[in-house]
């Protein structure tokens, strides 16, 4: 037997479909607006879900921690800003495993750029070194299944499936040999397995794994055993979640080993679950700023709110034309509950169609969305995703159905059949409130878009202190030692400068793709001064076109080996009046050095960071002799980059010449290069990605708002046809009628601006705080956002109003 409500439900659904077919314009706008918003919200949900699931696949995730260090002021215990560092000393992990009973596993994670040679073909690759415990701690599965002791063989190498395919194609990679050159050492490795690196789910990024002993090929024994040199991440696994006092325990153990009694160096641990969303602790692990996810969630809510507002406003606005229908139904004995069910059922039909259409749109847009955010988000319909779509579809249906019933069902039948204007006040405050909220959100998004674009343009146009145009860095592929690097540089320079299209050639230790080396210099009072350092060739300043503001540049004289250049910020930092007479402060300097010149401040990191004190030297011993600590991504000191400035002319021909010259000079190593302006642009990749996302969200919001405004204006004009006809008969012009119909919406835009401007000012100002160098928030940006929405409103309203005002008044009044 069928349920007694089935015929009623079928009747309601039939009525809903008949209404859709009868009012095609209104139905199309309503369904398309909601479906596009559902598509955007669903794509954003997939993105947020993907980011939030990072590192969740590790079985032992709850007990895995990354060690990090930070500095405090001993007298006060105050934490030194910016001192949190996930790059820690090499012996830290093994020491903790030996001394702390609760540490069951420990693994170091380090990396170095090296050359992989297969069939005499060189490939520049990032080689990652880990301890044997690494595969037991983390759930990176190996295809041959023998993860135990696999990294105990010092000649074993693990490849990701991508690298295995790159080197061996469809051939079996297991047992194949690869030669790897690091610094001045070359060793043959045997492929022991293919490792699943979970590239889109893991904060720990790698493609090639080798035993940690391999690090000895690139670093000296002193650096491998020193607690003052940091260039690896140390990961530990505990037998239980970390206790609150673990920092005291770890710090005490390390201080005992190092003899550090100053109390300024603290060791602590960070849960694996927090690594991907922590921007305070630096390290090799990839991260996402959690504010970006919150911003993405806010964008989703804003777009969804606009869509729901549209849906409610259009649906209720259209429903006011059905007042007589509601009165007639009540007169014929229909219960209020049945009327409510009818309105809710019709809303669900709309949202169901919109939801299905939105999922289809999202499915086809997913590849483009992945390309936009530079991610690989799977489009699988899991139970969670299906549940999210169902909820996403139910929300507007419930809200809209209840709002309609609240406004329409309570009307008395007599008043409804008389056609009295009892709903005018309700309709007015309800729809106008929704329109103001909709406009406010649209203005907010547009202001955000303009501000982000302005900041990114400012970054691209700001004077960096050097000329980044037509400037490239060519990797020297990790020469065996500094002497070999200098020989390679001199040979390459002599050849390429014969071509008039090459204007300058130099070399440096650090590149613009990674943070520069930072030394700590212990002072006589026990405090540390941390200064950035770059080992360079003597004509580095000329090649970079950095301005010299005092003194002289590097020369080839007798004192060149002890000469250093410093930037203006270093002079200000030490409050020197005449830096040319000064020495770098530090208690351990055993060799003299001389500051021969001061260069203008230049940006060697992104504009997120302020310019820091930096030292340029052509002899590493000049500075390293006084250093007591080190934090770096590249070591030992060497010329790892050739810096080439290309003059006017066809840049493609110049690049072809550089490549051919490289093959003549160093053909055994690959020719790899990077334009410096591209490297700088990559440091703002996150901002660029989020700018694009906000652009898309703003476009969605504006289109949805415009579609809703178009529908609302059409409904409004239809209700005022008699008024329009009377105005025309009494002599009003088309412009006069158009202005009369439009001014109410312009007032609403004005109110929306007053609401949106303070919120936008606060939000954008807070975002700009993440940049040390930024634009000033201007009233012009606020005006531009308000004007953009006003123009959209004027166009939409004016078009509908002018069309209605142009109708013959006889057509408007003939039914009255």
């Amino acid at each position: 037997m069928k349920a007694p409500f089935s015929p009623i439900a079928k009747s309601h659904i039939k009525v809903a479909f008949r209404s859709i077919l009868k009012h095609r314009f209104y139905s199309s706008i309503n369904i398309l607006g909601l479906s596009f918003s559902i598509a955007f919200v669903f794509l954003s949900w997939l993105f947020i879900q993907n980011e939030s699931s990072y590192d969740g696949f590790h079985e032992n995730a709850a007990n895995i921690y990354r060690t990090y260090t930070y500095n405090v002021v001993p007298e006060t215990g105050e934490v030194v800003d910016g001192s949190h560092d996930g790059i820690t000393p090499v012996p830290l992990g093994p020491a903790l495993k030996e001394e702390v009973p609760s540490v069951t596993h420990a693994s170091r994670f380090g990396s170095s750029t090296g050359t992989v040679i297969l069939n005499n073909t060189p490939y520049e690759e990032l080689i990652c070194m880990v301890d044997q415990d690494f595969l037991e701690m983390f759930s990176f599965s190996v295809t041959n299944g023998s993860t135990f002791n696999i990294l105990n063989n010092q000649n074993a190498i693990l490849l990701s499936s991508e690298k295995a395919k790159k080197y061996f194609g469809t051939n079996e990679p297991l047992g194949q040999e690869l030669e790897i050159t690091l610094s001045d050492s070359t060793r043959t490795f045997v492929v022991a397995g293919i490792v699943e690196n979970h590239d889109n789910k893991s904060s720990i990024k790698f493609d090639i794994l080798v035993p940690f002993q391999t690090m000895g090929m690139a670093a000296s024994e002193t650096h491998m055993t020193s607690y003052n040199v940091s260039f690896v991440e140390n990961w530990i696994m505990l037998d239980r979640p970390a206790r609150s006092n673990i920092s005291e325990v770890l710090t005490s153990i390390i201080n005992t080993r190092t003899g550090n009694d100053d109390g300024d160096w603290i060791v602590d641990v960070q849960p694996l679950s927090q690594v991907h969303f922590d921007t305070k602790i630096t390290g090799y692990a990839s991260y996402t700023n959690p504010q970006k996810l919150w911003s993405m969630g806010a964008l989703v809510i804003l777009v969804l709110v606009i869509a729901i507002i549209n849906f409610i406003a259009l649906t209720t606005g259209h429903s006011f034309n059905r007042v007589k229908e509601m009165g007639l139904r009540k007169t014929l004995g229909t219960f209020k509950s049945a009327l409510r069910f009818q309105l809710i059922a019709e809303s669900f039909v709309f949202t169901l169609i919109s939801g299905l259409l939105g999922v289809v749109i999202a499915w086809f847009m997913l590849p483009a969305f992945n390309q936009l955010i530079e991610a690989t988000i799977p489009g699988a319909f899991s139970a969670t995703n299906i549940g999210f779509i169902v909820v996403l579809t139910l929300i507007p249906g419930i809200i809209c159905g209840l709002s309609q019933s609240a406004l329409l069902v309570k009307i008395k039948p007599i008043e409804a059949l008389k056609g009295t204007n009892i709903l005018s006040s309700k309709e007015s405050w309800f729809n106008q409130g929704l329109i103001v909220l909709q406009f406010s959100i649209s203005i907010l998004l547009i202001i955000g878009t303009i501000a982000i674009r302005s900041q990114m343009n400012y970054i691209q146009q700001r004077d960096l202190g050097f000329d980044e145009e037509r400037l490239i860095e060519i990797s020297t592929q990790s020469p065996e030692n500094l002497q070999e690097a200098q020989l390679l540089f001199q040979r390459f320079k002599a050849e390429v400068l014969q071509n008039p299209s090459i204007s300058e050639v130099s070399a440096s230790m650090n590149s613009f793709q990674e943070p520069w080396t930072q030394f700590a210099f212990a002072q006589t009072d026990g405090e540390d001064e941390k200064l950035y350092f770059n080992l360079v060739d003597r004509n580095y300043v000329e090649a970079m076109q950095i301005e010299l503001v005092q003194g002289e540049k590097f020369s080839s004289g007798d004192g060149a080996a002890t000469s250093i250049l410093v930037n203006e910020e270093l002079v200000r930092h030490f409050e020197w009046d005449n830096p040319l007479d000064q020495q770098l402060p530090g208690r351990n300097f055993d060799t003299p050095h001389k500051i021969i010149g001061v260069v203008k401040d230049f940006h060697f990191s992104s504009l997120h960071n302020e310019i820091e004190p930096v030292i340029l030297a052509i002899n590493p011993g000049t500075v390293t002799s006084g250093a007591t600590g080190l934090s770096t991504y590249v070591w030992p000191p060497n010329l790892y980059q050739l810096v080439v400035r290309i003059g006017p002319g066809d840049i493609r021909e110049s690049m072809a010449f550089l490549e051919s010259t490289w093959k003549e000079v160093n053909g055994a190593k690959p020719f790899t290069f990077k334009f410096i302006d591209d490297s700088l642009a990559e440091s703002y990749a996150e901002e660029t990605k989020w700018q694009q996302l906000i652009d898309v969200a703003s476009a969605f919001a504006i289109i949805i708002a415009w579609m809703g405004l178009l529908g609302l204006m059409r409904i409004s004009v239809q209700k005022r046809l008699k008024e329009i006809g009377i105005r025309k008969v009494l002599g009003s012009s088309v412009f006069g009628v158009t202005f009369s119909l439009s001014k109410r919406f312009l007032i609403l835009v004005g109110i929306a601006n007053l609401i949106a401007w303070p919120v936008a000012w606060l939000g954008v100002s807070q975002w700009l705080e993440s940049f040390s160098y930024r634009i000033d928030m201007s009233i012009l940006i606020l005006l531009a956002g308000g004007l953009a929405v006003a123009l959209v409103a004027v166009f939409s309203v004016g078009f509908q109003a002018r069309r209605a005002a142009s109708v013959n008044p006889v057509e408007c009044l003939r039914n009255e």
Side-chain angles (χ1 to χ4, degrees), residues 354-665:
S354 300
L356 294 175
L357 183 59
V359 172
V360 172
I361 294 173
W363 182 268
F364 283 103
M365 289 178 61
L366 185 58
F369 187 74
N370 279 331
Q371 185 176 2
L372 175 69
I373 62 175
E374 298 179 356
T376 306
I377 300 175
F381 287 100
S382 63
T384 303
N385 291 341
I386 292 174
F388 178 77
I389 295 171
V390 171
V391 172
L392 189 61
T393 305
L394 289 176
I395 289 174
I398 293 173
I399 294 175
C400 187
L402 293 177
S403 61
Q404 285 186 83
S405 62
L407 289 171
L408 296 178
V409 173
K410 294 182 179 179
I411 303 171
K412 295 179 180 180
I414 297 176
E415 293 174 339
L417 293 174
K418 284 182 178 180
T420 55
N421 203 25
I422 192 171
L423 286 174
S424 59
S425 60
K426 294 182 179 181
E427 177 186 2
S428 177
W429 72 261
F430 187 76
N431 279 350
Q432 288 182 17
L434 293 177
I435 291 171
V436 167
L437 181 58
Q438 189 180 59
F439 282 157
S440 299
I441 296 174
S442 300
I443 293 168
L444 191 64
L445 289 174
I446 292 175
I447 291 173
T449 301
I450 295 173
I452 292 175
R453 283 192 171 275
S454 299
Q455 174 64 17
M456 299 309 294
N457 289 336
Y458 172 78
I459 288 174
Q460 295 168 2
Q461 297 171 7
R462 179 177 168 82
D463 181 13
L464 299 177
F466 64 94
D467 185 6
E468 74 274 18
E469 296 296 328
R470 305 175 76 87
L471 192 63
I472 66 171
E473 291 179 326
I474 301 173
S475 172
T476 58
Q477 307 297 343
S478 302
E480 292 184 4
N481 49 57
L482 182 57
Q483 291 72 28
E484 181 182 316
Q486 291 172 333
L487 179 61
L488 170 64
F489 163 66
Q490 294 297 337
R491 291 178 58 197
F492 184 79
K493 178 180 178 180
E495 293 292 332
V496 299
L497 285 181
Q498 297 179 26
N499 189 325
S501 67
I502 307 300
S503 59
E504 294 286 351
V505 182
S506 186
S508 74
M509 172 180 170
N510 292 297
S511 74
F512 283 84
Q513 301 174 47
E514 296 175 331
W516 281 20
T517 298
Q518 188 179 51
F519 285 118
F521 299 91
Q523 307 299 295
T524 55
D525 60 1
E527 297 294 323
D528 279 343
E529 285 288 355
K530 293 185 177 180
L531 305 175
Y532 284 91
F533 167 81
N534 194 10
L535 176 67
V536 299
D537 172 65
R538 65 184 72 252
N539 65 327
Y540 183 78
V541 172
E542 291 90 338
M544 297 292 294
Q545 294 186 6
I546 301 172
E547 181 182 344
L548 184 73
V549 296
Q550 189 176 355
E552 60 185 24
K553 302 175 184 177
F554 291 119
S555 65
S556 56
D558 294 337
T562 60
S563 302
I564 62 173
L565 296 176
V566 299
N567 67 344
E568 294 173 300
E569 180 57 31
L570 187 143
V571 175
R572 285 191 294 269
H573 177 71
F574 291 115
E575 300 178 348
W576 289 337
D577 294 327
N578 186 3
L580 303 185
D581 294 334
Q582 301 293 336
Q583 290 272 303
L584 294 175
R587 66 187 182 194
N588 290 343
F589 277 108
D590 54 12
T591 57
H593 61 267
K594 180 181 180 181
I595 299 175
I596 63 170
V598 180
V599 297
K600 181 180 179 181
D601 285 336
F602 64 98
H603 291 275
F604 53 90
S605 62
S606 76
L607 295 184
H608 288 287
N609 308 314
E610 294 183 357
I611 294 176
E612 298 283 352
V614 68
I615 306 164
L616 302 178
I618 58 177
N619 176 18
T622 306
V623 173
T624 56
S625 62
T628 55
L630 168 67
S631 178
T632 183
Y633 283 74
V634 291
W635 197 259
N638 207 333
L639 299 177
Y640 295 103
Q641 310 292 329
L642 301 177
V643 181
V644 180
R645 182 171 295 281
I646 301 174
D650 189 344
I651 200 167
R652 290 173 298 181
E653 292 182 4
S654 299
M655 293 305 302
F657 168 73
L658 290 173
E659 183 174 8
S660 63
T661 304
W662 175 268
K663 290 180 179 178
E664 294 175 6
V665 173

